[in-house]
Amino acid sequence: MCGIVGIVSEREVSSTLLDAIKRLEYRGYDSVGMVCIADGVLSTKKDIGKIEEVEKKVNFTALKGTIGMAHSRWATHGGVSKRNAHPHEDCNGNISLVHNGIIENHNELKAELQKKGHHFTSDTDTEVIAHLIEENFTGDILETTRKALCRLEGSYAIGVICTKKDDELIAARKESPLVIGLGERENYIASDIPAILPFTKKIIFLENGEIARLTKEKVEVFDLKGNPVTKTIETIDWGAKQAEKQGYPHFMLKEISEQPTAISDTIGDRMTEHDILLDEEIQKAIPNAAGLKRLIVVACGTSWHAGLIGEFMLEELAKIPTEVEYASEFRYRDPIITEGTAVIAVSQSGETADTIAAIREAKKKGAKVISIVNVEGSTIARESDAVLFTHAGPEIGVASTKAFTAQLTLIYLLTIYLAKKRGLLPQPQISNRIRDIRKIPHQIQEILENQDSIKRLAELFFRHTNALYLGRGINYPIALEGALKLKEVSYLHAEGYPAAEMKHGPIALIDNKMPVVVIATKDNRTYTKVLSNIAEVKARGGIVIAIALKGDKEIEEKVDFVLSIPENSYILTPLLAVIPLQLFAYYVSVLKGKDPDKPVNLAKSVTVE
Ligand code: M6R
């Protein structure tokens, strides 16, 4: 949802700004723009399209100046056009502004400012902020911006520069993410850490309602009343290289391939051979984990699918009644939080607006919040009572892949931890379950090494227009996730369904052109039922692609194509079954000539509601 970066330095900044904004392109790619100040004059270049295309057209690095900002847009208010691309200026071309978020009272403010003679050149909600600052400008850009912010309703992360104070970069946030990076005689702002990782690892996380003044020598932070705020400088341990493609054609493929490492790193030292060591991370929030009566998982998209699998794990092993809610729906009901209820928020970015709103609602009602988050310092991480970080490293591809399996890993560890606390898992079973998860990275590696068969299957199907994904039990959410991956990166229409529900409607869609992907891993629970569902599809001429266990001869006779995965315990099959589906979606996207890293209309983290 829009990426912003800004730099104030003693050297020319345009090429560094370009480098930084490219790392944020996953946040939006409808248009891109850059502004610098040189000799007291603002110079702006912007246009619609991806950064690479626009860069060729406008040559951003020709911009001169030691202070500047850049913005990649995911359109909310105002269509995708050059006039709506950021940065936006005031009437006199003295103030320039980049923004991520939504100004909800922009219509009223615009009418008020127009009456005072302000002339607007875009259809965005953002432009009002530049005019509001201009209208009240006192010569002190920090102070005037602070006062302007007090008039805004909605969400914002902003960067402001002004020709009258051309050594100051102003930054502020409310509900939209923004970090400050501290460099050597230069300082930065960015929507997300990967943008500035090559330049610094020293980060200040700006909180809601804070405003900062950056010069090349120092950073000062204030609250919206103007009081100074003392901030902690955090050191980020991600390497800059981790946020690069490292020879892979796309981030999506790189991140799919990184899953063995992401899972091993997420396990880290949270496990010994015989025990799960989560006390330190959980106990301060939930001193009496054994007494938990109910869990509510809140999440969106792929993280919500991880939550559905979590529900299965938590109910089966830890015997805690668990509900999984779309974060966006949870907050608009009147959720009942009874004593002993804890909320688990699952989010890669930690900045998804709906998930943030859901945890705030839960906390207001007295629930403790445990979050499972990938990005350190993110809003969800900071606002939760306890945080379990997935150590998947930066996930840049818009389609979530490695974050998903890392989330499943942590939910699994949490489940065993809670089951043990509740006296439900005898020691030998804990040791067995630990052995099972330890096998997963190697087993995923095995699937990755055989990805040619998945690529060949994509070659057969990339011209199709529809697909159905079916799964049962713990693999039903994998059907949802497989369909979501295909939809988002290849624009094929795909539906995920519980296999048995198919006959209550979707069966009407099946004909000899419909590929039906069925997760049919052999177990003693639903396998025979899934075979019946497969027979129902075949009877209507459907083409069946099965995700099955290696060595399953029975299935080979019943379906058209088989993608094999290694065997592990039933409860861990989702971590394996999802891999061929991620790869299938990736290859279909590439074969269709699409860019899987930047699907149209999507943005990596959805920071608006
Ligand atoms: O950062 P989060 O995990 O909170 O994001 C939630 C969803 O926006 C995200 O999973 C989205 O569905 C992905 N594009 C799926 O690949």
Side-chain angles (χ1 to χ4, degrees):
M1 300 279 120
C2 299
I4 67 181
V5 289
I7 307 175
V8 52
S9 178
E10 59 183 11
R11 62 185 175 109
E12 294 287 322
V13 293
S14 58
S15 58
T16 314
L17 279 173
L18 181 61
D19 187 8
I21 199 66
K22 278 183 180 163
R23 292 166 200 280
L24 282 188
E25 197 177 15
Y26 62 85
R27 298 183 65 87
Y29 28 84
D30 290 334
S31 59
V32 57
M34 189 186 289
V35 60
C36 290
I37 304 178
D39 303 325
V41 178
L42 289 175
S43 303
T44 302
K45 289 176 186 258
K46 56 184 180 180
D47 213 332
I48 58 168
K50 294 186 179 157
I51 299 180
E52 222 179 332
E53 299 152 17
V54 179
E55 161 62 359
K56 279 192 196 128
K57 213 151 94 185
V58 306
N59 188 12
F60 286 122
T61 51
L63 286 173
K64 297 280 167 237
T66 56
I67 184 165
M69 306 182 298
H71 184 277
S72 60
R73 179 167 188 246
W74 186 82
T76 56
H77 289 63
V80 179
S81 63
K82 185 172 173 181
R83 68 189 242 115
N84 290 335
H86 296 218
H88 291 287
E89 287 182 12
D90 64 338
C91 298
N92 290 312
N94 288 322
I95 292 156
S96 185
L97 183 118
V98 289
H99 168 224
N100 168 32
I102 293 175
I103 306 305
E104 285 161 6
N105 58 339
H106 69 106
N107 281 331
E108 299 93 282
L109 291 171
K110 187 170 177 178
E112 176 190 316
L113 288 158
Q114 278 172 325
K115 265 196 215 139
K116 291 181 174 160
H118 287 263
H119 174 63
F120 284 74
T121 56
S122 79
D123 319 306
T124 63
D125 53 330
T126 300
E127 197 185 341
V128 290
I129 315 174
H131 292 280
L132 204 53
I133 297 172
E134 177 180 40
E135 177 62 27
N136 300 297
F137 192 61
T138 58
D140 183 338
I141 186 67
L142 173 81
E143 194 51 18
T144 318
T145 306
R146 184 180 70 75
K147 287 194 175 137
L149 294 180
C150 296
R151 303 267 336 260
L152 303 182
E153 285 164 24
S155 59
Y156 56 77
I158 56 161
V160 184
I161 55 175
C162 173
T163 55
K164 311 276 182 208
K165 282 271 184 185
D166 62 5
D167 57 346
E168 291 184 12
L169 169 62
I170 306 301
R173 75 160 281 194
K174 183 184 161 217
E175 309 298 353
S176 296
L178 197 68
V179 298
I180 295 173
L182 307 177
E184 284 300 313
R185 294 194 58 76
E186 62 183 16
N187 291 309
Y188 320 86
I189 59 167
S191 301
D192 209 347
I193 298 165
I196 50 177
L197 263 184
F199 322 124
T200 184
K201 291 194 171 173
K202 286 193 202 144
I203 300 289
I204 292 175
F205 292 100
L206 217 53
E207 299 287 345
N208 278 337
E210 289 181 346
I211 180 166
R213 170 166 48 205
L214 288 77
T215 61
K216 61 179 187 282
E217 288 96 7
K218 65 174 179 185
V219 171
E220 299 159 279
V221 180
F222 305 87
D223 64 20
L224 282 189
K225 291 191 180 122
N227 304 310
V229 178
T230 310
K231 302 291 291 182
T232 318
I233 300 170
E234 318 258 353
T235 306
I236 300 302
D237 64 1
W238 288 353
K241 280 265 170 275
Q242 280 179 278
E244 287 170 9
K245 282 192 208 149
Q246 297 175 0
Y248 284 91
H250 297 100
F251 279 111
M252 185 174 175
L253 184 59
K254 173 183 175 247
E255 288 158 7
I256 291 173
S257 311
E258 281 174 344
Q259 291 178 101
T261 317
I263 291 170
S264 301
D265 290 352
T266 296
I267 294 172
D269 50 14
R270 287 174 167 132
M271 257 171 31
T272 64
E273 253 177 80
H274 306 293
D275 204 5
I276 305 289
L277 313 174
L278 291 182
D279 266 350
E280 215 178 287
E281 289 166 287
I282 298 288
Q283 244 180 358
K284 72 173 171 341
I286 322 272
N288 178 22
L292 276 174
K293 294 197 179 79
R294 178 174 165 236
L295 291 168
I296 304 174
V297 181
V298 291
C300 301
T302 288
S303 299
W304 182 75
H305 297 158
L308 289 177
I309 294 166
E311 174 183 24
F312 208 100
M313 293 178 177
L314 286 156
E315 292 198 335
E316 174 142 334
L317 296 180
K319 304 285 177 222
I320 307 177
T322 304
E323 293 145 47
V324 187
E325 300 263 7
Y326 282 118
S328 54
E329 293 295 320
F330 176 78
R331 59 167 312 206
Y332 286 111
R333 289 206 327 272
D334 192 8
I336 297 167
I337 307 280
T338 41
E339 217 201 308
T341 301
V343 164
I344 302 181
V346 186
S347 174
Q348 186 286 129
S349 60
E351 297 295 349
T352 298
D354 286 319
T355 312
I356 295 171
I359 65 169
R360 286 183 185 157
E361 179 69 24
K363 286 182 84 168
K364 212 164 70 194
K365 295 198 155 172
K368 289 284 185 198
V369 174
I370 305 171
S371 62
I372 293 181
V373 175
N374 196 40
V375 178
E376 289 185 29
S378 57
T379 306
I380 295 177
R382 282 177 292 127
E383 294 193 12
S384 301
D385 298 290
V387 197
L388 298 173
F389 285 109
T390 46
H391 297 300
E395 192 180 65
I396 310 290
V398 167
S400 190
T401 53
K402 63 175 179 173
F404 176 68
T405 44
Q407 286 164 351
L408 292 182
T409 304
L410 265 189
I411 297 175
Y412 179 78
L413 298 194
L414 178 63
T415 302
I416 299 174
Y417 169 83
L418 292 173
K420 183 190 162 191
K421 288 262 167 210
R422 293 159 74 84
L424 295 169
L425 275 187
Q427 188 56 56
Q429 280 196 35
I430 296 175
S431 307
N432 287 345
R433 301 250 172 224
I434 287 174
R435 252 198 312 277
D436 291 343
I437 186 82
R438 282 260 184 246
K439 282 191 233 155
I440 290 285
H442 307 284
Q443 294 184 316
I444 292 181
Q445 192 57 42
E446 195 181 319
I447 304 171
L448 293 171
E449 281 163 16
N450 291 312
Q451 61 185 275
D452 275 358
S453 55
I454 302 166
K455 194 173 173 185
R456 280 198 298 277
L457 204 63
E459 281 161 359
L460 292 177
F461 286 101
F462 78 97
R463 289 196 182 84
H464 283 246
T465 48
N466 294 292
L468 194 60
Y469 284 68
L470 304 176
R472 288 186 89 139
I474 201 162
N475 286 315
Y476 155 55
I478 292 300
L480 296 180
E481 177 60 8
L484 177 65
K485 288 290 90 92
L486 194 69
K487 271 187 275 215
E488 57 178 347
V489 299
S490 73
Y491 320 136
L492 262 169
H493 174 244
E495 291 277 351
Y497 244 82
E501 275 294 304
M502 177 192 62
K503 49 189 174 303
H504 299 285
I507 199 160
L509 297 169
I510 290 169
D511 61 14
N512 58 7
K513 291 186 199 64
M514 175 71 101
V516 182
V517 181
V518 188
I519 298 110
T521 47
K522 204 164 193 163
D523 55 54
N524 52 12
R525 303 183 188 211
T526 55
Y527 182 66
T528 49
K529 305 276 179 216
V530 171
L531 290 186
S532 305
N533 301 138
I534 289 175
E536 288 151 17
V537 174
K538 287 306 298 169
R540 282 148 190 93
I543 313 158
V544 177
I545 303 166
I547 309 294
L549 293 186
K550 206 162 69 180
D552 181 351
K553 295 282 171 227
E554 195 179 351
I555 196 110
E556 282 174 14
E557 290 154 21
K558 298 187 187 311
V559 303
D560 301 274
F561 304 93
V562 179
L563 296 174
S564 297
I565 59 168
E567 188 169 358
N568 200 315
S569 76
Y570 175 73
I571 220 147
L572 286 173
T573 45
L575 282 102
L576 300 167
V578 75
I579 311 293
L581 303 184
Q582 294 170 341
L583 285 164
F584 182 68
Y586 169 76
Y587 284 118
V588 169
S589 169
V590 173
L591 287 160
K592 287 184 78 180
K594 309 294 177 201
D595 179 350
D597 288 344
K598 298 181 196 114
V600 288
N601 300 336
L602 286 174
K604 181 68 183 161
S605 71
V606 184
T607 55
V608 293
E609 287 177 51

